[in-house]
Amino acid sequence: MPAALLTALQQAAAAASSAYGVPKIYFARAFGNRLHYLTGYGEETYLPAVKEFIGDDLWVFIEGAERLTEEERSELVKTLRAVVATHGAAPQTQPVPPGTRKEETNR
């Protein structure tokens, strides 16, 4: 994971948390069926988080997402996908389920 991407995600989480008034935004990377915490910003609320795919096996979790309108949530996710595209690998539109990649099905 490029350090520039981690820094950019943390800065984006801090800015988005302030701009949208959500208490916590954090990121995780998928390793098989498990998600590994990477970075984030905000205070722990222990409230359920909304999970959105943002590309390159990365997911964002937004605690307090019920405070966002659908348009705000969509805008936030689009912005985070742009951060991943700029500082990491290009985002995918959807996660690819295991066993469906071409190289995995030609065995």
Side-chain angles (χ1 to χ4, degrees):
M1 176 68 49
L5 176 59
L6 292 177
T7 301
L9 288 174
Q10 188 171 29
Q11 291 171 348
S17 180
S18 175
Y20 292 102
V22 293
K24 186 168 185 173
I25 298 174
Y26 56 99
F27 304 92
R29 182 165 211 168
F31 289 107
N33 292 332
R34 297 178 184 248
L35 293 172
H36 174 72
Y37 173 85
L38 295 173
T39 190
Y41 178 84
E43 295 184 27
E44 189 66 52
T45 64
Y46 302 103
L47 297 173
V50 171
K51 178 173 84 168
E52 291 277 348
F53 180 73
I54 58 172
D56 194 28
D57 293 327
L58 297 175
W59 296 82
V60 62
F61 292 80
I62 307 166
E63 292 184 13
E66 67 278 354
R67 300 175 186 181
L68 302 174
T69 65
E70 188 60 39
E71 183 178 297
E72 289 172 327
R73 186 171 143 188
S74 177
E75 182 180 311
L76 173 57
V77 171
K78 182 179 176 181
T79 300
L80 295 173
R81 285 181 177 151
V83 169
V84 172
T86 302
H87 295 90
Q92 302 166 6
T93 56
Q94 297 179 33
V96 179
T100 59
R101 290 191 172 118
K102 184 176 180 181
E103 63 273 9
E104 293 174 349
T105 57
N106 290 336
R107 294 181 189 183

